[in-house]
Amino acid sequence: MLIDTTLLVNNSWIIKGLLDGSMKRYGSVIRWAAGTENAGQIIRHLVEAPGVTDKVISGAKVIGEGVNYYKLLGIEQSLSSVMGLSQIAAGASVLNLGVSILGFAYMGYKLHQIQKQLGHLQQSMEEGFDRIEASLYRIEGGIQEGFRQVGASLNRVEQRLDIISGQLGYLFLLVEDNRKQQQSLAKAISHLHQAMLIKEIAALNAELDDRKRFPNESSRESLKVASRVRLFLANQALQATPELDAELMLNTDISIQGCAVATATEAQLLLEIGQHQEARELLAVEVPKFQQVAQRWGNELISDENPYLSTTYRFNHPRFQEYITPQRVERIIEISPSDRILSPEDIRSKKIHIDVEFEMSHSSQWDEAWLHRQIAIAEYLDTLSELSARLDGLQSFAALCESRNVSSSRDLLPGSNAATGLYVLPPND
């Protein structure tokens, strides 16, 4: 490691900035917040010690894998909140929060989790269910089979989101109380297992497993597989026409998550062997393409037949406060161009119109099914936004590697003897 790094939890200056709002986490970097003198500039890169991945894969058990992962990084509840991690979309977990030497092993593990999730999801859809229940059992972030009836009330947001925030959990909310849609989705998952989509995911997963077992072997074959999978899945994601449809969203979600992993894998392999310019050129093409997909889905799913509700700011209304955190709303705004350009006065005006709409309209319009669809939309878009941000952070890390002229990205990352946790790395001079 050629650059001094410190554990985030030991950097009081960064923590103070996150607490007072002058700094913001965006993907895998800390930036100066909007409204500050150097707004948008990178302050620190986030990188992980190898021990984090080792412990995640070995199966350390805490309440939900997401909580476990962030605790291993040394991020407790108070810090998690100011970093915008208290309600992070589970789908975004296919990429590490920070760059890591063992990133390949972690991403391979997460791809395997997606495949397991599909199995749990298919069985639940085939057996059928009536409503979402607060006491659903979970297996490694997946939702266990065998649930039927529920209470109308779910407890607080963390418990609700533990239920629906599996990597594909939002699908339960979209087909709730519709047995025909559940059966249709079960068939779609069955077909998905046979499709090229899953075969490509499996090929990438196998290559990542091989990379984990033989880290000192040539990267050529791994690069070929990652490139092929990236091109195929990116094409699938770009071809999809955004629509609030469970089957379409499932297929696109698998494509998007797989594409993110393939892109990150290819870029990190290039950085590892010192081909920093090639990594930057790759990310300069793929990150905007990924952001374009995210914005297309954001525009479609945020849209509403009521023009006053066609904004991300509808999720700020009190009826969502137990389901959707302000940090999640902020992340979704990042992939909503129409919301990002609003002035403070425009935002206040929109919020007033939203309040009036909810107060004046018949309550039957905003029933439980509508509410659950909105929660599912927020979960889905949060995945897209956070993955976009983490890929953007990797692009910045590639620029750092090139500017430092290191022979390998490993020279900038905490070594195998580093204490487990999340580290902060100085940016370009």
Side-chain angles (χ1 to χ4, degrees):
M1 184 170 59
L2 301 180
I3 300 179
D4 289 336
T5 58
T6 57
L7 281 165
L8 173 63
V9 294
N10 294 337
N11 195 310
S12 58
W13 175 60
I14 297 293
I15 291 177
K16 178 179 180 296
L18 291 168
L19 287 170
D20 65 25
S22 61
M23 301 178 189
K24 300 282 286 186
R25 179 193 68 84
Y26 180 72
S28 56
V29 298
I30 304 294
R31 296 181 184 272
W32 288 110
T36 61
E37 182 179 354
N38 299 309
Q41 289 187 13
I42 295 176
I43 302 168
R44 290 291 187 274
H45 296 266
L46 299 175
V47 295
E48 297 177 16
V52 174
T53 293
D54 284 335
K55 290 183 179 180
V56 167
I57 295 175
S58 66
K61 301 296 182 183
V62 184
I63 304 174
E65 186 186 333
V67 176
N68 179 24
Y69 174 58
Y70 295 125
K71 279 184 176 290
L72 288 172
L73 291 175
I75 301 173
E76 297 297 336
Q77 186 171 359
S78 58
L79 185 55
S80 175
S81 178
V82 297
M83 290 184 71
L85 297 170
S86 56
Q87 192 194 2
I88 206 78
S93 69
V94 294
L95 298 184
N96 302 63
L97 175 61
V99 181
S100 168
I101 288 175
L102 290 184
F104 305 117
Y106 176 85
M107 290 185 288
Y109 169 74
K110 296 305 295 186
L111 286 181
H112 180 64
Q113 292 298 98
I114 292 177
Q115 292 172 285
K116 287 179 65 176
Q117 281 267 34
L118 285 169
H120 292 308
L121 180 62
Q122 182 179 359
Q123 185 169 354
S124 294
M125 295 299 165
E126 288 173 345
E127 292 182 355
F129 62 95
D130 296 325
R131 302 283 292 285
I132 308 272
E133 182 176 14
S135 62
L136 292 181
Y137 296 106
R138 302 180 67 215
I139 300 178
E140 299 175 345
I143 303 178
Q144 222 177 26
E145 67 276 5
F147 55 94
R148 293 288 181 183
Q149 180 61 36
V150 253
S153 65
L154 301 170
N155 294 324
R156 292 197 52 79
V157 61
E158 293 84 3
Q159 294 169 312
R160 290 189 173 95
L161 292 164
D162 272 349
I163 298 166
I164 67 168
S165 282
Q167 285 164 312
L168 304 170
Y170 61 89
L171 293 165
F172 284 82
L173 294 176
L174 294 178
V175 299
E176 180 185 56
D177 288 333
N178 190 319
R179 184 70 186 112
K180 185 176 180 181
Q181 287 185 8
Q182 293 165 24
Q183 292 171 330
S184 178
L185 188 55
K187 290 179 181 177
I189 296 169
S190 178
H191 294 154
L192 188 59
H193 279 298
Q194 303 168 31
M196 283 297 296
L197 201 61
I198 290 301
K199 290 179 182 177
E200 292 297 305
I201 292 285
L204 181 59
N205 191 11
E207 198 60 43
L208 289 170
D209 281 345
D210 188 69
R211 189 73 188 164
K212 179 179 67 176
R213 297 188 185 102
F214 307 104
N216 297 320
E217 293 294 318
S218 169
S219 301
R220 284 189 63 184
E221 188 59 33
S222 299
L223 279 166
K224 284 169 60 178
V225 172
S227 179
R228 188 195 75 224
V229 173
R230 169 181 57 80
L231 290 168
F232 176 79
L233 295 179
N235 184 57
Q236 295 295 304
L238 285 167
Q239 282 185 355
T241 301
E243 183 182 345
L244 186 61
D245 175 83
E247 293 180 34
L248 176 64
M249 291 170 71
L250 168 63
N251 282 278
T252 306
D253 197 13
I254 298 298
S255 297
I256 286 171
Q257 291 188 39
C259 179
V261 170
T263 302
T265 297
E266 189 175 354
Q268 290 193 40
L269 283 169
L270 290 169
L271 293 173
E272 195 174 85
I273 61 177
Q275 295 189 20
H276 308 316
Q277 183 176 346
E278 289 80 356
R280 290 191 67 184
E281 290 172 355
L282 167 71
L283 293 168
V285 172
E286 296 303 323
V287 172
K289 191 187 299 181
F290 194 96
Q291 291 170 340
Q292 177 189 355
V293 171
Q295 289 177 11
R296 285 174 58 213
W297 277 93
N299 287 337
E300 175 61 29
L301 298 187
I302 291 169
S303 177
D304 191 273
E305 60 184 15
N306 184 326
Y308 292 118
L309 298 184
S310 288
T311 172
T312 308
Y313 289 101
R314 69 173 180 259
F315 297 134
N316 278 136
H317 190 269
R319 68 177 55 228
F320 293 110
Q321 66 184 6
E322 293 185 6
Y323 305 89
I324 302 173
T325 63
Q327 291 87 355
R328 170 163 284 187
V329 176
E330 288 179 12
R331 287 193 297 272
I332 297 172
I333 288 170
E334 290 293 330
I335 59 170
S336 174
S338 60
D339 286 321
R340 285 184 64 186
I341 62 173
L342 294 176
S343 67
E345 184 57 40
D346 291 333
I347 294 170
R348 282 192 292 272
S349 177
K350 278 194 176 291
K351 289 181 176 180
I352 291 171
H353 284 303
I354 290 167
D355 290 341
V356 171
E357 287 301 308
F358 281 131
E359 289 173 9
M360 300 296 292
S361 302
H362 297 295
S363 59
S364 59
Q365 289 182 257
W366 326 116
D367 59 11
E368 194 171 53
W370 179 86
L371 176 64
H372 284 181
R373 283 195 301 273
Q374 301 306 305
I375 298 170
I377 287 170
E379 173 77 13
Y380 194 82
L381 295 181
D382 194 18
T383 293
L384 293 172
S385 179
E386 182 64 22
L387 285 177
S388 293
R390 293 190 187 188
L391 287 174
D392 185 78
L394 181 57
Q395 188 173 16
S396 299
F397 180 74
L400 177 66
C401 290
E402 186 173 41
S403 71
R404 298 284 179 173
N405 197 29
V406 293
S407 59
S408 169
S409 57
R410 287 174 174 261
D411 295 339
L412 301 181
L413 299 173
S416 57
N417 295 325
T420 300
L422 186 66
Y423 289 75
V424 287
L425 185 68
N428 295 323
D429 292 331

